[in-house]
Amino acid sequence: MNNWKKISQSLLASGVAGLLLAAVSQAHATTAVTASGALTVEATVASSIQLTFNTATSNGVTLTSGAGTNAATLNFGTVTEYGSVPTNVAIATSSSLCSSCFVASTNVSIVVNAADSSSSGFSLAASVSAPTHGEVLAVGTSGALSTSATSPTPITGSFTYGSSGNALQVSLGIPTATADSTQMSDVITFVATAN
Amino acid sequence: MNLRKTIRVFVLPALAALGALSAAAQNPSASGSLSVQLQNGSGLQMVLYSDPSGVTLGNSGTASASLAFGNVSAYGALSTNVTRTNGTNSFTVSTPFDINVQVSGLSSSSYTLSGELSTALPTGVTLEVDSVSLSNTASTPIQAKETYGSNLAHTLSAVISTSASGSGGPPTGSTITTTINFVATAN
Amino acid sequence: MARRAYLCRWMSCVLLIWGAATYSSAQNTATSALVVSMSVQSSISLEFVNGSGAGTQGTCTITGANTSTASVNFGIASLAGDNQSCVSFSSTTKSYTLSNNIYALVTQSNLASSGYTLTASLGSAPPSGVAWTINSAALTTGAANLTSGGSYGSNMALYLQVTVQNTVTTSNLSETINFVATAN
């Protein structure tokens, strides 16, 4: 008798479960109203490098503007051959860079980052826009920079990628015959090329 | 005898002529009926559009459009209406595009938008719509309650590793292509 | 009374002629006269026919072809499309339109008419948001003129379109379109 009860209970339970299952599956079978669209996306990833300027942590004049960008301003301030020297500017009264001149120097940090590239290093070159007061500009040990943007002067050295940057000396050779209070403004264009 | 002759000669022809006249007075006509069976069902329609601030889509205004980012790089120039943010180890290029879903024959007030990639992307590249990363293994919900009937802007982003190819970064110099299959489901 | 008398005489006369014919047969000759009369009336017919491209998209095959009572199945449609491949489907953001070519053939007999006028009307007013047209002429329950110069014996293409706004609920939109061709 107990077995029959168990069997009937079991059948009842399975019947209810079956009904529930059927109800659930029917609810599930209700077709959702949908619409579809397809957007084909195309992109070509290119390797790239980026050059930015920062104030050099050692012996560098604080960049007036544009630190962290690729268009910065470095102001030597007022320089004299024999007078007071601005902070982080060095004055040399003689240099192989120019004759009858004195040279003001400071450091700048050049930061080059690479993306999607297997390059391990890069080369640097620089050129300067035509100086208007007979001044001569140099970066590192390059000597006088080329005034041709298409033929920039190679900068000697071994440079590394990364935010720690590469400190480079920027030198400005000023003719001693330059009139007092002459304002000089030159643009040095740097080109980094991944090796 | 005269009466019969009169009838035969004058009246009968006159009646015949009258009959012909009455027949000619009404132009013949024919009719037909065409039964057209039509059941108005319920459905959604999805259309992809260029966003005014985004890359111009190919086949804008259809359900099958294309979007070309062009050359993308962490530092180089980008195509018009492609924006970029640079992260620590990746950069993201983005552009908006519009989706318009219309409903007919249904009392639904909103829809769910989901998307799935047709193919796996190369290492170092992920695609996002509205900051939701998409995969090619399952449809991913993007928006839960979108409204019908207007162009809704969505942001398509490609997150690209800055690592070199072979070191976790994507291949460079070749076009990466995939298709996002969007599905709008009436709520 | 006089009219009845006249008729009686006339009937007697006919009988007399018949009697004469019987009599004549005995003479190996016979004559008779059978008066046949009819009234020929002009008539035209209208039937629906399948065009040459029947079954292809834009020209569904009709049932009841070559009769004046035909039907065509536009299927189940929504903004998402139509389940009948022979129906041309287009949509905007707010409506969809189904299009199909139907052909009617009007023929004439005993008629000096050079053409016919064809009108069409809907059997019942469609629900709001549903519009039927034939050759761009809007159809209503009143007669819409489709042509005033139809040519007999040539299939006339009837470009049947129905536009359904997306506000129309799921429903049966079937219609009967009644055509009348009248000789000009």
Side-chain angles (χ1 to χ4, degrees), chain C residues 113-162:
Chain C
S113 161
S114 59
Y116 63 86
T117 297
L118 184 65
T119 63
S121 61
L122 295 178
S124 59
S128 176
V130 179
W132 296 81
T133 65
I134 291 179
N135 296 348
S136 301
L139 299 184
T140 65
T141 51
N145 187 54
L146 302 182
T147 180
S148 297
S151 298
Y152 294 109
S154 299
N155 288 355
M156 180 178 175
L158 304 168
Y159 191 55
L160 174 62
Q161 291 185 293
V162 56

Side-chain angles (χ1 to χ4, degrees), chain C residues 12 24 81 86 137:
Chain C
S12 299
S24 297
C86 65

Side-chain angles (χ1 to χ4, degrees), chain A residues 35 37-43 116, chain B residues 63 67 69 161-162 176 178 180 182 184:
Chain A
L39 181 65
T40 299
V41 182
E42 293 182 353
D116 305 304
Chain B
L67 188 156
F69 274 111
S161 166
T162 54
I176 298 168
T178 190
I180 305 172
F182 290 105

Side-chain angles (χ1 to χ4, degrees), chain B residues 15 17 19 30 46 65 70-71 77 85 102 104 106 120 147 155 157 159 178-179 186:
Chain B
L15 285 173
M46 179 186 291
N71 284 333
T85 55
Q102 296 284 349
S104 70
L106 197 66
T147 53
T155 302
S157 302
V159 183
T178 190
T179 297

Side-chain angles (χ1 to χ4, degrees), chain A residues 44-47, chain B residues 71 171-175:
Chain A
T44 303
V45 178
S47 302
Chain B
N71 284 333
T172 56
S174 58
T175 303

